Amino acid sequence: RWDYMEDFLIEGRVPDYTQNLNTEILVSSYQANRLGFKNGDKVIVFFLKEDGGFLNRRFDIVGIYDSGFQEFDESFLFADIRHIQKLNKWEEDQVGGFEVFVDDFDRLNEIGTAIYEHTDSFLNTMTITQKYYSIFEWLSLFDFNIALIIVVMIIVAGINMIVALLVLILERTPMVGILKALGANNWSIRKIFMYNALYLVGVGLFWGNVIGIGLLLIQKYFGLIILNPETYYVSEAPVYIDWYYIVILNLGTFLLCALMLLIPSYVITRISPVKTIKFD
């Protein structure tokens, strides 16, 4: 899947293995820096034999990539598999391993189990989460942190809106008394304050989306926040924008705030017109 590798290219191009056997290889920036290579260099690669001897082949570096995963970058370069087949005296249909790409990552374990059950006993299968267990465990911590932060933010936003609505009600207590004296029922008065509070929630969500999505787009296209790849596995803070999640998050926040605003609006039912209407 060379379309994936093109996203990580920092120099040159991806090799072309669609035609005859060639000597083009793709190396990582980690390997190039450690060995003093640059794009366009010719390199000699040594292959150890079981009897203690070795074979060597000359290759041409046509591209340099940086995946951000040092464990990967320090171990792999990309070459035409036909070189390995010739060195190991394999047939054209013999390989060291297959990669299966899935369209739905949520079904990874299900598909991995199905492949394992249809694989002969002398072969083994492994999902990417099993192969790079530590990396995916590290990523799962972000999912928990994100959920925790969202819950805390919604609770804080809800409490702030409850306080704001209580202040609005207390400031308009005489108005509530007059409306009740004129025949308005509790629910109709509560809706007035609810609409006003939800308008404030909508304005807050609008500006919050403008600022938040704006910062995400800046990070996505300019990469202002730099990270240490040895610690975080990536060279910059990654950004993934899914408009479906954004819409669901906004709707969920709005609905939860609306439900929480029902609590302070109940205060209106306790207001007595006789005690709130004062005549000078």
Side-chain angles (χ1 to χ4, degrees):
R1 295 294 297 270
W2 292 110
D3 52 330
Y4 288 172
M5 291 305 302
E6 289 175 353
D7 295 335
F8 302 110
L9 273 181
I10 58 176
E11 287 186 56
R13 58 176 176 82
V14 297
D16 181 12
Y17 301 139
T18 59
Q19 305 299 323
N20 296 327
L21 179 68
N22 61 53
T23 59
E24 296 180 349
I25 61 172
L26 182 67
V27 301
S28 69
S29 61
Y30 177 88
Q31 296 167 343
N33 293 333
R34 291 289 298 271
L35 299 173
F37 294 149
K38 61 181 183 297
N39 189 39
D41 282 354
K42 299 182 184 300
V43 300
I44 304 296
V45 179
F46 294 89
F47 298 87
L48 298 179
K49 298 172 63 176
E50 293 182 356
D51 59 6
F54 63 88
L55 299 172
N56 62 74
R57 292 290 186 274
R58 184 184 69 88
F59 293 98
D60 302 306
I61 299 177
V62 297
I64 297 177
Y65 74 92
D66 184 3
S67 71
F69 292 83
Q70 184 172 324
E71 296 178 13
F72 182 90
D73 290 354
E74 68 186 9
S75 303
F76 294 99
L77 63 79
F78 294 85
D80 195 324
I81 193 173
R82 287 170 288 189
H83 288 290
I84 305 300
Q85 290 171 332
K86 290 180 64 176
L87 289 166
N88 291 337
K89 298 180 180 179
W90 290 349
E91 301 295 333
E92 291 184 357
D93 60 349
Q94 289 183 300
V95 296
F98 284 105
E99 279 189 341
V100 178
F101 291 85
V102 299
D103 295 326
D104 186 358
F105 193 81
D106 293 333
R107 298 182 59 232
L108 178 68
N109 291 331
E110 175 188 343
I111 296 173
T113 301
I115 293 175
Y116 179 81
E117 291 175 350
H118 289 80
T119 303
D120 292 336
S121 60
F122 57 88
L123 298 175
N124 188 28
T125 66
M126 183 180 297
T127 65
I128 191 171
T129 55
Q130 294 170 333
K131 187 173 183 178
Y132 299 104
Y133 177 80
S134 60
I135 294 176
F136 282 91
E137 278 295 301
W138 176 78
L139 290 174
S140 65
L141 295 177
F142 281 93
D143 296 333
F144 175 78
N145 291 341
I146 290 171
L148 181 62
I149 291 172
I150 290 174
V151 170
V152 171
M153 291 179 66
I154 291 176
I155 292 174
V156 171
I159 293 174
N160 286 337
M161 289 309 304
I162 289 174
V163 173
L165 185 55
L166 284 174
V167 171
L168 288 174
I169 294 173
L170 293 175
E171 287 183 345
R172 297 291 187 274
T173 300
M175 183 190 77
V176 174
I178 293 173
L179 290 174
K180 284 190 174 185
L182 292 173
N185 59 42
N186 287 323
W187 178 239
S188 63
I189 300 173
R190 290 173 70 181
K191 286 195 294 185
I192 295 173
F193 288 94
M194 288 282 292
Y195 291 153
N196 192 20
L198 290 176
Y199 168 76
L200 296 177
V201 173
V203 172
L205 284 174
F206 172 77
W207 287 110
N209 279 281
V210 169
I211 296 172
I213 296 175
L215 292 174
L216 289 176
L217 290 174
I218 290 173
Q219 176 62 24
K220 181 176 181 178
Y221 292 106
F222 298 101
L224 299 182
I225 302 177
I226 306 300
L227 301 175
N228 183 357
E230 295 183 4
T231 304
Y232 296 98
Y233 300 104
V234 289
S235 57
E236 61 185 41
V239 172
Y240 173 69
I241 299 177
D242 189 316
W243 296 108
Y244 172 77
Y245 289 151
I246 292 175
V247 171
I248 293 299
L249 181 60
N250 278 271
L251 290 176
T253 302
F254 189 84
L255 291 175
L256 287 175
C257 286
L259 293 174
M260 296 178 74
L261 288 173
L262 291 173
I263 300 172
S265 68
Y266 181 75
V267 174
I268 294 173
T269 65
R270 312 296 298 176
I271 297 176
S272 173
V274 176
K275 296 180 179 180
T276 56
I277 300 176
K278 297 181 180 179
F279 298 95
D280 296 329

